[in-house]
Amino acid sequence: MRDFMLANLAAMIWVIVAIEVIFGVLFVKEYQKGKSKMVLSMLLIDLGLFLDALFIVLGVFTQNGLPEMVSRLRFVSHGVLIPLMFPICGYGLKLGQKAMKILWAATFVIMVLGLAQSLAIHLELRQLGTVLRHVSADSSPAWAEGISSLLSYGTVIPLIIVGIIVWVKQKTPHLFLSGFLMFAFSALGPATGNFDLIFFISMIGEVFMVLFFYLYARVRAKRD
């Protein structure tokens, strides 16, 4: 399986890019129906994941990787857009307006921190198969790496917890599955010893996360 993934890595990432585009179109259509801020947040997260995958796979066409400035954009999009999972949790719990304002304010602070870390990290080129991409170097500031870890795991765990609550109260498992599958695929790389493939295996989890975001948005639209 590992040999197959390495041999077809770029092609599989292109498939993920296409899937993210499809979900983006679906989210736009869903947003147009009710102008839901929850759906808009899901759309923007999908956009961030799309940019991440696109910039990674575009390195296939270069000899020295994409310019660092271009590659950094995917770290910026991740740092700024992934925190939108917090408002999604709030809308899933159907928090009141006051609570949502507080949550949005906290999210904005985290987004600023995410932007700061994406600009502060040091980038280095790394090749795996035909994919040549920039990654965070070991020389990156410790605080920036800490915020990066917070964005990766500190957003998914609340989504899982909220998903369980929503499952119990609203009788729909979609939010839970979005967080759980994202977490499961993120852990799959280390669990199987494929540390160099974590970025790609996590992309598969991101596809499932967006899928169940969309399914939850459809369920909420019908009930609300």
Side-chain angles (χ1 to χ4, degrees), residues 9 25 100 169 193 201:
L9 190 57
V25 173
M100 284 305 304
K169 291 187 174 182
I201 298 174

Side-chain angles (χ1 to χ4, degrees), residues 60-73:
V60 171
F61 302 109
T62 68
Q63 291 183 342
N64 300 308
L66 293 177
E68 184 175 310
M69 182 182 298
V70 176
S71 290
R72 192 174 293 276
L73 288 176

Side-chain angles (χ1 to χ4, degrees), residues 9-47:
L9 190 57
M12 290 188 291
I13 296 177
W14 276 117
V15 171
I16 289 174
V17 169
I19 292 173
E20 299 291 1
V21 170
I22 292 171
F23 276 121
V25 173
L26 293 175
F27 279 126
V28 168
K29 291 182 177 180
E30 197 65 32
Y31 176 72
Q32 291 174 338
K33 294 177 182 178
K35 307 297 181 182
S36 165
K37 292 181 181 178
M38 181 185 72
V39 175
L40 179 60
S41 298
M42 292 173 173
L43 169 62
L44 291 174
I45 288 177
D46 179 72
L47 173 62

Side-chain angles (χ1 to χ4, degrees), residues 46-59:
D46 179 72
L47 173 62
L49 299 177
F50 160 75
L51 292 175
D52 181 54
L54 179 64
F55 287 146
I56 286 177
V57 79
L58 284 178

Side-chain angles (χ1 to χ4, degrees), residues 92-95 161-173 216 220 223:
L93 292 172
K94 298 184 178 181
L95 298 181
I161 296 172
V162 168
I164 294 173
I165 297 173
V166 169
W167 193 353
V168 172
K169 291 187 174 182
Q170 301 176 25
K171 309 303 180 185
T172 173
Y216 179 70
R220 278 290 295 270
R223 293 181 178 179

